[in-house]
Amino acid sequence: MAPEKLQGYDFFNKTLKSPKMILAPMVDQSELAWRELCRRYGADVCVTPMFHARLFSESKKYRDEQFTTNKQDRPLIVQFCANDPEILLKAAKLVENDCDAVDLNLGCPQHIAKRGHYGSFLQDEWDLIASMVSLLHRELAVPVTVKIRCFPTVEKTIEYAKMIEAAGAQMLTVHGRLREQKGHNTGLADWSKIKAVKEAVSIPVVANGNILYHDDFLNCLEFTGADAVMTAEGALYNPTIFDKSLGLMPPHAYEVALEYLEICKALETKTSGGAIKGHLFKLLHSILPHHKELRARLGKARELAEYVEVVTELKEKVLKDIEELGEGEDVQGQPDENGIRKYAFWRCQPYFRPKLPENGNHGNGDKKRSNQSEEDSKTDENNKKLKTTPAPVQE
């Protein structure tokens, strides 16, 4: 007899075990090895990268390359992008026995989503969205969840969320940014819209956006009233962000990189070189400018053994840096007036996307580094959050 399909808060509390911190879906970056690393440090639930429903349903090669899991990889939500209910259902049926829920991506703002007609570029096609969600709700053995972005107005965002709930979604993740907020225009997520959605619907709501440090999880929960908080780039630059016991001082980035590589080595399934390289460049982003020769070698590496060799050598060099420079009182994680904490370059820390110069000259990279615009600081006042822009991640 098939297990009972739980709904709403029964699903949230019994299947997902009342999570508070969730690892977001990230294209090529929330793969099995990274999920295992984040779970070690306290991620309660993990979401796979976004899979293309048509490719997933038609190509075994695509499935084998993109989706790997194991018994320890739970609770797990598998995310798809789609624009056809039947194709979405066919893809979802292939994973319903290997996950705890299937999520529909309605939040991806990238140009590839616009060309493919999926993600946030479906947010004006409510009948299509409702048909996809309701079909999965009726036919899948596991619940369907949905991840959205906001509309410019609170009212339409609430109406949108209620429509998705009525169609059968059992959990809703709200990314507090607009579809247009991407790249250099990423800006800040608006927690007030997430709060409004939480107050308007009856299903569990997960907040997404502006999570750079562990304390931000609690700040977001308190401000929005959400049931859980999801993070993407916060975990990419510091996968230990979920661990409260580490206090204000994040670990040495090279140690986390080596731990990740050990996981890749131990897994029965191979982690793609592209995923590994992407993670290492993000984890080590504050160290590599100090050792540019190893940055070049990291860029050329292809095999796992090469990545291990480069990071091990980097560790040796940084240990000498630590011995020579020490870790003064000015890099102990004290927040500045904008909430940004200063750490020694060898520790895991957020990366802030450079802002394009106002004169439109995008060629000089040295001129791109600046704080968030005054207009975006208005959202900051509502959220009581940071005034700088975190690097965007394709979710």
Side-chain angles (χ1 to χ4, degrees), residues 109-162:
Q110 305 300 327
H111 290 298
I112 190 172
K114 184 176 183 179
R115 291 196 304 270
H117 191 53
Y118 58 79
S120 65
F121 296 95
L122 294 182
Q123 70 179 27
D124 295 315
E125 300 185 38
W126 291 17
D127 288 344
L128 173 58
I129 290 171
S131 66
M132 290 193 290
V133 175
S134 62
L135 183 62
L136 263 58
H137 177 53
R138 292 194 308 270
E139 301 295 336
L140 270 190
V142 294
V144 56
T145 66
V146 179
K147 187 171 188 288
I148 65 171
R149 285 197 170 218
C150 295
F151 282 90
T153 68
V154 172
E155 293 77 13
K156 191 164 185 179
T157 302
I158 290 174
E159 187 182 358
Y160 186 45
K162 285 185 172 181

Side-chain angles (χ1 to χ4, degrees), residues 61-341:
K61 182 175 184 292
Y62 178 88
R63 292 196 298 273
D64 291 344
E65 290 177 349
Q66 297 293 321
F67 179 51
T68 55
T69 186
N70 56 31
K71 293 181 180 179
Q72 293 73 44
D73 189 29
R74 305 296 280 267
L76 178 68
I77 298 175
V78 176
Q79 189 188 70
F80 290 103
C81 66
N83 55 27
D84 183 291
E86 294 296 336
I87 291 176
L88 174 59
L89 177 62
K90 185 178 179 182
K93 278 289 185 182
L94 293 170
V95 300
E96 66 180 351
N97 295 321
D98 297 308
C99 66
D100 298 290
V102 168
D103 188 76
L104 174 60
N105 182 311
L106 296 177
C108 182
Q110 305 300 327
H111 290 298
I112 190 172
K114 184 176 183 179
R115 291 196 304 270
H117 191 53
Y118 58 79
S120 65
F121 296 95
L122 294 182
Q123 70 179 27
D124 295 315
E125 300 185 38
W126 291 17
D127 288 344
L128 173 58
I129 290 171
S131 66
M132 290 193 290
V133 175
S134 62
L135 183 62
L136 263 58
H137 177 53
R138 292 194 308 270
E139 301 295 336
L140 270 190
V142 294
V144 56
T145 66
V146 179
K147 187 171 188 288
I148 65 171
R149 285 197 170 218
C150 295
F151 282 90
T153 68
V154 172
E155 293 77 13
K156 191 164 185 179
T157 302
I158 290 174
E159 187 182 358
Y160 186 45
K162 285 185 172 181
M163 178 274 294
I164 292 170
E165 178 185 26
Q170 302 305 311
M171 186 174 77
L172 184 66
T173 299
V174 183
H175 187 153
R177 291 184 172 91
L178 308 178
R179 179 172 62 194
E180 294 74 23
Q181 287 182 271
K182 58 187 176 183
H184 286 282
N185 297 316
T186 295
L188 290 164
D190 187 348
W191 284 359
S192 64
K193 287 179 180 172
I194 303 174
K195 176 181 174 68
V197 169
K198 169 59 185 172
E199 293 171 349
V201 300
S202 300
I203 57 175
V205 171
V206 179
N208 182 209
N210 299 349
I211 307 301
L212 300 180
Y213 308 106
H214 181 83
D215 290 351
D216 294 330
F217 285 109
L218 180 58
N219 293 338
C220 185
L221 287 169
E222 290 180 344
F223 186 96
T224 64
D227 299 283
V229 176
M230 179 179 285
T231 183
E233 61 255 326
L236 278 182
Y237 295 97
N238 178 16
T240 73
I241 191 173
F242 305 99
D243 191 346
K244 182 179 180 180
S245 70
L246 294 176
L248 287 178
M249 296 299 285
H252 294 174
Y254 54 80
E255 293 290 6
V256 179
L258 288 171
E259 183 178 4
Y260 168 66
L261 292 172
E262 282 300 313
I263 292 173
C264 292
K265 184 178 180 180
L267 285 174
E268 293 181 3
T269 54
K270 183 179 180 180
T271 303
S272 77
I276 295 173
K277 191 186 298 289
H279 283 306
L280 293 181
F281 269 105
K282 290 179 178 67
L283 278 173
L284 304 171
H285 76 92
S286 58
I287 296 178
L288 291 172
H290 298 269
H291 297 283
K292 294 180 179 179
E293 73 286 358
L294 289 179
R295 181 189 183 102
R297 283 178 54 194
L298 183 61
K300 295 177 181 178
R302 294 293 182 270
E303 300 298 327
L304 183 58
E306 294 178 89
Y307 291 120
V308 173
E309 181 181 346
V310 172
V311 178
T312 300
E313 188 172 335
L314 186 66
K315 174 182 177 179
E316 294 171 357
K317 290 181 177 293
V318 173
L319 286 174
K320 292 180 182 178
D321 293 334
I322 295 173
E323 185 177 352
E324 293 175 5
L325 300 174
E327 204 161 14
E329 294 183 0
D330 60 330
V331 288
Q332 296 296 314
Q334 303 91 333
D336 64 15
E337 67 275 10
N338 294 321
I340 306 302
R341 298 175 183 175

